[in-house]
Amino acid sequence: MNGKKITSMIFKTLNYTNEIKKKSTNGHGGRRQLFKSIRHSLRIPASEPKKLEWFDEQSHLNLIWLPETGTTKLDDYPKEQREALLAKIADEAEAPTVVKNNRAELLEARTKLKNKVKSASKKETDDGCILAFHNILNVKGIADTEQLLSDLALFEIQRKNQKLDTVRKFLECHNEIESGPKPLIRKNQAVIQEAFFKFPSKNEVSGVSAEGRIDLIKGFYQQVFPEYPIHFIVLHGDEDVDLKDHSDHPHLFISTKNSKTGRYDLRETQINKVNSYLKKHRPGTELIGETPDFLESQLLFGYLQDMFYAYTNNRLLKNTPYYAKKHEKTEGHMNTLRHINGEAKKPKSERACNLYELAK
């Protein structure tokens, strides 16, 4: 780091779904929260704020970046156009949740059939037979029905023909779902992601222009997630009580809809990008699963932070006296999460905090 001054940095994301919600849970908000956040960012509140949120006399410091016009002063962007931008994003946030077909009925039928297959598997004791059932129950994508059935048929099973028939129905239903049209977006799936970063004011990071801060977060998303269009970026320069630019910060609003596939899959892409980052820069680290639970979701965001820190140091801060580094407590928290996640994947008897160890 060649004697550079260490600074921490705040980088956060919030996903908004197309549901109407009052409060956010697990890093998600709903349409109501999305509209409130956009109105705050664009300085067009629906009602007078209950407490002071910005200084009107500093409004000339606010900037907005739009894909059509680039960066301009927010003061020069008329209120009517801000409202129109909000309405445009609102239309996407109210996107349909399912395609018009019999998918819902098929999903319900598959669940019922899967439960029957699962119930049948619990009565088996042969390891090979259990494995054959396991492969059927955990099938991904289009299943090779005949191969899976033939693997199971090798074993002696009570009411064999009946159970093989149930398995066949399950796999055929599964394949019909997998080969058919999928919903553009599932219930409680994000349609918009908001991201922002700032340097804590107390660190007094100076010499970084407002445009440079916008370009940083824009460049990060365009380089790492190029298939997802950015709706707009706003830089707030009117929130510092000390009239300094140390804590000026941009808010970015990006669509989670893939411009190539038409699917709302930014989260899946972020998981893939994070896993690629881990393989290259942290070999041996547990990768994030396809459907992360709450703990893995926290790890996912922590690794996105790592990627953004690296990008900031290589771009924005490269020719400055500063170097961005996670706070020790934050890094310690990440190490704890990694340990807990690793333990959770072990059999209970092998965990550091198992019943035997507690009894001792």
Side-chain angles (χ1 to χ4, degrees), residues 49-64:
K50 294 180 180 179
K51 60 181 180 180
L52 186 65
E53 295 182 3
W54 60 78
F55 299 99
D56 288 330
E57 61 272 22
Q58 296 180 43
S59 67
H60 62 283
L61 299 175
N62 296 332
L63 301 176
I64 183 168

Side-chain angles (χ1 to χ4, degrees), residues 47-310:
S47 58
E48 192 69 26
K50 294 180 180 179
K51 60 181 180 180
L52 186 65
E53 295 182 3
W54 60 78
F55 299 99
D56 288 330
E57 61 272 22
Q58 296 180 43
S59 67
H60 62 283
L61 299 175
N62 296 332
L63 301 176
I64 183 168
W65 177 89
L66 294 160
E68 306 86 12
T69 60
T71 302
T72 58
K73 287 189 175 183
L74 185 60
D75 279 352
D76 295 337
Y77 192 54
K79 183 179 178 181
E80 295 75 19
Q81 289 181 253
R82 301 184 206 182
E83 292 282 1
L85 179 59
L86 171 65
K88 177 184 175 183
I89 297 173
D91 286 343
E92 177 170 349
E94 295 172 6
T97 56
V98 293
V99 291
K100 294 181 179 179
N101 61 4
N102 63 339
R103 182 179 173 84
E105 290 82 358
L106 286 169
L107 288 170
E108 185 178 355
R110 182 174 66 175
T111 299
K112 289 180 180 178
L113 288 165
K114 186 172 185 177
N115 287 336
K116 288 184 179 180
V117 175
K118 190 180 295 184
S119 177
S121 71
K122 289 179 180 178
K123 298 176 183 178
E124 301 304 325
T125 56
D126 185 284
D127 288 343
C129 183
I130 292 171
L131 178 60
F133 270 115
H134 173 83
N135 292 338
I136 291 164
L137 290 166
N138 292 279
V139 68
K140 302 289 184 184
I142 300 295
D144 187 340
T145 301
E146 298 307 321
Q147 182 62 55
L148 290 169
L149 281 169
S150 111
D151 290 345
L152 184 61
L154 294 173
F155 303 95
E156 291 302 320
I157 308 170
Q158 288 185 356
R159 301 195 306 279
K160 187 172 185 177
N161 290 338
Q162 179 184 339
K163 290 180 180 178
L164 287 174
D165 184 57
T166 301
V167 168
R168 179 181 290 278
K169 288 178 181 177
F170 164 69
L171 292 173
E172 287 176 348
C173 183
H174 170 84
N175 281 350
E176 188 173 353
I177 292 169
E178 288 297 311
S179 60
K182 293 181 174 61
L184 291 174
I185 180 169
R186 299 187 304 275
K187 183 179 179 182
N188 203 32
Q189 188 176 1
V191 288
I192 304 291
Q193 183 172 97
E194 178 182 1
F196 91 97
F197 88 92
K198 68 186 293 187
F199 298 107
S201 186
K202 63 181 181 180
N203 290 358
E204 298 186 348
V205 175
S206 58
V208 179
S209 69
E211 292 83 357
R213 296 170 201 246
I214 289 177
D215 289 343
L216 177 74
I217 197 165
K218 173 168 64 74
F220 176 76
Y221 270 85
Q222 287 182 337
Q223 177 175 311
V224 185
F225 311 110
E227 297 87 8
Y228 302 88
I230 299 172
H231 286 299
F232 71 94
I233 305 170
V234 164
L235 179 119
H236 292 152
D238 60 356
E239 296 182 8
D240 198 318
V241 68
D242 297 322
L243 304 180
K244 302 286 187 181
D245 65 356
H246 297 145
S247 62
D248 290 358
H249 58 279
H251 290 256
L252 172 146
F253 291 83
I254 188 171
S255 173
T256 68
K257 185 177 181 180
N258 191 310
S259 59
K260 293 183 178 179
T261 66
R263 306 192 60 74
Y264 293 80
D265 57 6
L266 176 61
R267 183 172 174 80
E268 288 86 346
T269 299
Q270 288 181 331
I271 291 171
N272 293 334
K273 295 286 186 176
V274 161
N275 284 340
S276 296
Y277 167 82
L278 293 176
K279 289 175 184 177
K280 183 175 181 180
H281 299 283
R282 292 177 179 237
T285 302
E286 188 88 34
L287 301 181
I288 304 297
E290 290 182 10
T291 54
D293 56 18
F294 176 70
L295 180 60
E296 279 195 313
S297 293
Q298 287 186 295
L299 285 168
L300 172 67
F301 172 68
Y303 294 137
L304 274 174
Q305 279 185 318
D306 292 342
M307 293 169 67
F308 189 75
Y309 266 74

